[in-house]
């Protein structure tokens, strides 16, 4: 069920005033709300960035940073790329924006251990984003599920950011994986994903006759 604020913003975005700069303050407050309540609204966030694009003097780094970080929490969907390309190159060249772009690159290339190390050094960027790390682990779980058949338990622990064993056990259970006696975790039988497909070509007698005639 949508929150009252989300419903209100949704109604605002359907109207003719979608890109009215007078609505920017309300939309910016909604971005803060998403960060604090662990909610996400890509449509509203893109509208904010579009308004910044149309009204450059209204641009607020803090809001744009939150929008990019929230987009990262929705990987593997391409939200981050969509949002990034609405922000000017000059803005993206600043240190904080480059740090977020670096995090995105590490995640998108599945360099998860490097991501957690980088995040530790820049943890201040995500402190205001409720549920950020949990959302990233959800994305990592998705990648693991479609990639591995089984994996070393301690390797899995590191991929998730060096989490404690009890937290790892919860993730294993939540994802439907299974701990094995040799310190390995069974993910899934990837062979089950490979499905054969029968291709049937229909050739009528006229086509056969034409081929045979051409071969004479």
């Amino acid at each position: 069920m949508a929150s009252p604020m989300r419903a209100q913003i949704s109604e605002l975005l359907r109207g003719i005033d979608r890109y009215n700069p007078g609505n920017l303050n309300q939309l910016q407050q909604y971005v803060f709300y998403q960060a604090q309540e662990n909610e996400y609204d890509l449509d509203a966030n893109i509208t904010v960035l579009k308004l910044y694009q149309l009204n450059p003097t209204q641009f607020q780094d803090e809001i744009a940073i939150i929008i990019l970080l929230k987009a990262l929490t929705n990987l593997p969907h391409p939200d981050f790329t969509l949002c990034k390309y609405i922000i000017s190159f000059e803005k993206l060249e600043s240190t904080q924006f480059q740090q977020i772009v670096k995090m995105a690159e590490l995640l998108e290339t599945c360099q998860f251990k490097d991501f957690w190390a980088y995040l530790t050094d820049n943890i201040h960027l995500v402190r205001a984003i409720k549920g950020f790390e949990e959302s990233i682990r959800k994305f990592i779980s998705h990648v693991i599920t479609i990639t591995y058949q089984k994996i070393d338990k301690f390797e899995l622990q590191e991929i998730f950011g060096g989490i404690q064993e009890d937290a790892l056990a919860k993730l294993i259970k939540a994802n439907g994986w299974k701990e094995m006696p040799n310190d390995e975790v069974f993910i899934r039988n990837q062979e089950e994903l490979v499905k054969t497909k029968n291709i049937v070509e229909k050739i009528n007698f006229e086509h056969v006759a034409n081929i045979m005639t051409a071969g004479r």
Side-chain angles (χ1 to χ4, degrees):
M1 184 176 181
S3 67
M5 190 170 192
R6 188 185 186 98
Q8 184 181 1
I9 294 297
S10 180
E11 185 65 29
L12 177 69
L13 297 180
R14 279 199 295 266
I16 59 173
D17 287 337
R18 181 185 181 96
Y19 295 115
N20 183 343
N23 295 327
L24 193 51
N25 184 59
Q26 186 177 0
L27 289 168
Q28 288 174 153
Q29 290 303 313
Y30 184 46
V31 172
F32 282 126
Y33 172 82
Q34 292 175 59
Q36 294 163 2
E37 300 298 326
N38 197 15
E39 293 200 14
Y40 183 58
D41 190 332
L42 175 63
D43 190 30
N45 294 345
I46 283 181
T47 301
V48 172
L49 295 178
K50 282 284 190 182
L51 281 167
Y52 285 160
Q53 194 177 50
L54 296 169
N55 306 273
T57 59
Q58 302 281 347
F59 192 96
Q60 290 192 29
D61 287 9
E62 183 182 11
I63 297 293
I65 285 169
I66 291 174
I67 288 174
L68 288 177
L69 290 171
K70 289 297 293 183
L72 278 183
T73 67
N74 205 38
L75 283 168
H77 298 286
D79 301 14
F80 182 83
T81 301
L82 291 173
C83 293
K84 184 180 73 172
Y85 284 127
I86 305 175
I87 300 172
S88 70
F89 178 78
E90 290 76 20
K91 286 291 183 183
L92 289 174
E93 283 295 290
S94 68
T95 301
Q96 282 192 312
F97 284 100
Q98 280 299 299
Q99 289 169 334
I100 298 171
V101 169
K102 176 65 175 179
M103 285 195 286
E105 289 173 352
L106 291 172
L107 288 171
E108 289 169 345
T109 54
C110 300
Q111 299 178 65
F112 299 130
K113 294 179 186 179
D114 291 339
F115 164 78
W116 291 114
Y118 192 81
L119 180 63
T120 299
D121 293 337
N122 298 280
I123 196 66
H124 62 281
L125 288 172
V126 303
R127 283 203 178 103
I129 313 298
K130 183 179 179 181
F132 180 83
E133 295 182 23
E134 290 80 1
S135 295
I136 297 303
R137 289 192 179 101
K138 184 177 179 181
F139 164 62
I140 294 174
S141 296
H142 164 76
V143 174
I144 290 169
T145 297
I146 64 174
T147 305
Y148 288 91
Q149 180 160 305
K150 60 183 179 179
I151 185 172
D152 180 81
K153 179 180 176 181
F154 303 105
E155 174 75 7
L156 187 61
Q157 206 167 355
E158 290 301 310
I159 289 174
F160 278 127
I163 57 177
Q164 299 297 317
E165 283 203 26
D166 57 341
L168 179 63
K170 289 179 181 178
L171 277 171
I172 290 172
K173 183 178 180 181
N175 285 290
W177 304 336
K178 184 181 178 181
E179 289 193 56
M180 301 171 72
N182 57 348
D183 286 328
E184 287 187 324
V185 177
F186 178 78
I187 305 300
R188 70 186 300 178
N189 186 353
Q190 297 297 337
E191 292 177 1
E192 294 176 354
L193 299 179
V194 181
K195 297 180 179 179
T196 60
K197 184 176 181 180
N198 294 324
I199 300 175
V200 179
E201 293 186 11
K202 295 181 179 180
I203 303 177
N204 59 37
F205 285 114
E206 291 181 1
H207 290 154
V208 174
N210 290 336
I211 293 170
M212 293 178 67
T213 302
R216 290 177 182 175

